Amino acid sequence: MSHNRYPAAVDVAIVGSGPTASAYARILSEEAPGVTIAMFEVGPTVSNPPGAHVKNIEDPERRSHAQRASEGPGAGSQTVNSPGAVKSGDRLARPGTFLLPDGYAFPDEDGLPVGAMSSNVGGMAAHWTAACPRPGGRERIAFLPDLEHLLDEADRLLGVTSHAFDGAPFSNLVRERLASAVDEGRGPAFRVKPMPLAVHRREDGCLVWSGADVVLGDVTRANPRFELFDESLVTRVVLDDGRAVGVEVKSRRTGEIHPVAARYVVVGADALRTPQLLWASGIRPDALGRYLNDQAQVVFASRLRDVKAEDGQMAANGALSQQSGVAWVPYTDEMPFHGQIMQLDASPVPLAEDDPVIPGSIVGLGLFCAKDLQREDRVAFDDDTLDAYGMPAMRIHYRLTDRDHEVLERAKQEIVRLGNAVGEPLDESPFILPPGASLHYQGTARMGATDDGESVCSPDGQVWQVPGLFVAGNGVIPTSTACNPTLTAVALAVRGARKIAEELSTPLLMSESDNRMSK
Ligand code: FAD
């Protein structure tokens, strides 16, 4: 029997339920509480509250089930736990994510062989590492005068702190050793510091990783005008006379397609699927999908020298744990890589049996490199071939330029220098992960100061020439960044959400602006 669980009309339809889509729901719930909001997510709910990080699920079997349920068409495939494990050269996804089955590389191009996505309530942020550094130097978006304030807001929404691992064994030592290698000549913002992380401690002392649940917050969950629909694929943004007026939603439970009218549509469906949905809707500005950029990543491992086990330290199971600290070596324009230095409690390389690991003494170093942005690097779509969801299949064109290779060589030298500064290297040489491994894809729905053909949306995230349609996510970031992008993407979502809240609360201004936009 047919059953339509969707509303006929809402004020704002939001596509996706990751941290950027959730930021829209949160700001609208805070600043425009009278507004009706429907959020559509193609994947299932895998955690409680919806969108919560799966690392917060204590039972390993339930956690693994939640990861599998997030892997969409890739569920059941073998996965690798850490970026370093990709060293095997196999094309494997990380738990909770899935890879493109085809179209990820073309002859004579590098492609994005391990470009990944997640399909679950909360998106990739149910699986992420939660590092939330601020962009610096040329990573910043120069045409946004309020960027710093927006980043403060993103910190608030994600629950970011730099003190989660205060007191973690050897974390001060790691930072001191890194600082002595890099801080000289750097301004205060660019010196080594604890990594800001989206994490908090419960009253019982346990760590809770922020997911989209934290971004949504109690205010959204308590908002009677907000509804989240999981297992709901948005197949099309509906336009009327050039303006977004709603979406078509396909229930993954019944297979039925239903229209939902909306005054505003926000697409926060990740950097690959946001352009896919616009393409499928016939919204095809030339910049769509272009300037795709991933942060090439180099990894290396070291073991702290001259340290002794402290009383009461418990070995955990090889992942980032409560014993772990994360240090940040910020990007600079001169050294265009971002360092994420994680203390692990198990070695990524086998050690002798009579050589037990002191928790916190193994250091996994990762440098993310800023890409040399190219218009031709892009996600394109094949109208004649459908993906597992029935959407136009993705075709990735992606090349590392000579400059990218130069930066990677410098990053390799730098990571060895950092590894030697903190301890004794465990790896013979640094390893470059295959393109896509960073899980930080940007540029495909990029923001611009003006509609000059090189951008998809305005500084508010509104798609040029399509009133009522906003885009969100890492794809909106227009600069070449090396730092983890989610904080910045959430900051940009705050700006867009405020724009909608403002327009919805001033109907007269809204219609004036609509007239202007449709001319
Ligand atoms: P996503 O979180 O990807 O959410 C998009 C959602 O949209 C998905 O749930 C998807 O199913 C849904 N969707 C797509 N198409 C449709 C459609 N047509 N209809 C309905 N729904 C749709 N970032 C950092 O900044 N710091 C880190 O330390 C970090 N570590 C990471 C570690 C791992 C293992 C992983 C997997 C990711 C990591 N990331 C990190 C990346 C981070 O998770 C993403 O940047 C972030 O989640 C992006 O948020 P988003 O809202 O743009 O998209």
Side-chain angles (χ1 to χ4, degrees):
M1 196 180 73
S2 150
H3 169 67
N4 181 5
R5 60 188 166 124
Y6 307 116
V10 288
D11 292 313
V12 185
I14 301 178
V15 187
S17 65
T20 61
S22 298
Y24 269 85
R26 165 78 170 267
I27 295 291
L28 287 167
S29 296
E30 286 178 344
E31 300 187 10
V35 161
T36 50
I37 309 164
M39 175 179 267
F40 303 100
E41 166 56 53
V42 65
T45 302
V46 300
S47 51
N48 184 24
H53 202 301
V54 304
K55 263 200 282 190
N56 302 332
I57 302 174
E58 279 168 29
D59 176 51
E61 224 170 278
R62 282 186 46 233
R63 191 186 319 133
S64 162
H65 178 77
Q67 288 167 333
R68 287 298 183 201
S70 306
E71 292 165 6
S77 310
Q78 196 190 338
T79 53
V80 274
N81 267 316
S82 72
V86 177
K87 283 178 190 175
S88 64
D90 290 336
R91 215 186 133 250
L92 299 175
R94 310 266 289 276
T97 72
F98 60 96
L99 306 179
L100 283 175
D102 50 35
Y104 52 81
F106 286 87
D108 303 323
E109 297 180 2
D110 295 285
L112 279 191
V114 291
M117 293 162 275
S118 295
S119 283
N120 54 277
V121 171
M124 271 197 180
H127 312 282
W128 69 328
T129 311
C132 285
R134 290 193 178 206
R138 283 198 289 269
E139 288 183 311
R140 295 172 71 87
I141 304 163
F143 57 80
L144 288 185
D146 53 346
L147 183 62
E148 207 55 21
H149 164 72
L150 296 171
L151 291 166
D152 288 343
E153 280 293 88
D155 273 350
R156 174 176 76 88
L157 266 51
L158 284 158
V160 176
T161 172
S162 293
H163 301 289
F165 290 105
D166 281 357
F170 315 126
S171 54
N172 287 342
L173 186 69
V174 171
R175 281 200 305 279
E176 277 163 24
R177 290 180 181 178
L178 290 169
S180 64
V182 299
D183 275 1
E184 203 182 315
R186 288 184 173 218
F190 296 97
R191 293 185 193 143
V192 173
K193 36 180 82 65
M195 180 68 80
L197 292 167
V199 64
H200 67 274
R201 273 186 199 280
R202 277 196 327 230
E203 275 175 12
D204 63 4
C206 271
L207 281 172
V208 181
W209 297 90
S210 297
D213 63 320
V214 170
V215 178
L216 289 169
D218 289 339
V219 67
T220 312
R221 278 185 290 274
N223 180 355
R225 296 185 176 81
F226 167 77
E227 261 192 293
L228 164 63
F229 299 94
D230 64 0
E231 300 182 71
S232 299
L233 173 75
V234 174
T235 53
R236 197 161 72 93
V237 176
V238 182
L239 303 182
D240 182 17
D241 201 17
R243 185 184 170 97
V245 293
V247 292
E248 270 181 11
V249 189
K250 180 175 185 179
S251 167
R252 301 266 299 155
R253 297 182 192 162
T254 64
E256 288 173 3
I257 295 184
H258 299 279
V260 177
R263 295 166 75 188
Y264 288 86
V265 176
V266 179
V267 184
D270 80 38
L272 299 175
R273 286 179 284 181
T274 290
Q276 181 188 49
L277 180 56
L278 266 57
W279 181 270
S281 310
I283 302 161
R284 301 179 175 188
D286 192 49
L288 189 72
R290 292 185 180 275
Y291 294 100
L292 170 64
N293 64 101
D294 163 59
Q295 300 165 343
Q297 202 182 345
V298 185
V299 294
F300 195 56
S302 224
R303 188 177 194 181
L304 291 183
R305 70 172 76 85
D306 307 328
V307 293
K308 286 203 191 82
E310 289 171 14
D311 287 344
Q313 284 177 4
M314 308 262 297
N317 57 2
L320 185 66
S321 76
Q322 311 218 8
Q323 306 287 342
S324 311
V326 187
W328 173 22
V329 181
Y331 157 101
T332 67
D333 290 339
E334 296 70 38
M335 302 286 272
F337 8 87
H338 157 82
Q340 184 168 316
I341 319 296
M342 322 235 299
Q343 287 172 260
L344 310 173
D345 40 35
S347 173
V349 296
L351 298 174
E353 272 179 24
D354 60 352
D355 187 9
V357 167
I358 301 171
S361 68
I362 302 291
V363 180
L365 299 104
L367 289 184
F368 296 91
C369 302
K371 174 90 173 73
D372 177 19
L373 299 186
Q374 301 295 318
R375 200 168 200 280
E376 288 313 306
D377 290 333
R378 65 195 189 282
V379 53
F381 302 96
D382 181 347
D383 282 323
D384 299 325
T385 314
L386 300 182
D387 69 10
Y389 289 111
M391 301 293 281
M394 293 176 200
R395 301 289 177 242
I396 308 278
H397 294 279
Y398 195 74
R399 279 198 182 93
L400 296 178
T401 65
D402 290 346
R403 215 176 102 200
D404 289 323
H405 286 292
E406 232 172 79
V407 170
L408 267 168
E409 276 312 308
R410 285 177 61 203
K412 276 166 75 177
Q413 287 167 19
E414 181 65 358
I415 208 166
V416 172
R417 202 174 74 82
L418 298 181
N420 278 304
V422 294
E424 305 302 337
L426 289 167
D427 284 324
E428 276 174 23
S429 55
F431 185 82
I432 300 178
L433 299 183
S438 76
L439 304 161
H440 302 160
Y441 321 124
Q442 301 162 91
T444 54
R446 71 205 299 250
M447 175 179 278
T450 56
D451 182 9
D452 59 0
E454 299 301 322
S455 60
V456 171
C457 68
S458 75
D460 292 317
Q462 175 154 338
V463 175
W464 298 118
Q465 312 296 339
V466 189
L469 178 60
F470 285 66
V471 281
N474 300 332
V476 173
I477 298 172
T479 47
S480 170
T481 73
C483 73
N484 319 64
T486 310
L487 182 83
T488 304
V490 167
L492 302 181
V494 168
R495 197 173 212 270
R498 291 221 163 110
K499 179 72 179 167
I500 296 179
E502 185 191 302
E503 289 190 1
L504 280 170
S505 53
T506 50
L508 184 63
L509 283 180
M510 187 183 85
S511 55
E512 281 174 3
S513 112
D514 290 351
N515 287 339
R516 221 178 21 249
M517 293 293 293
S518 52
K519 270 183 194 157

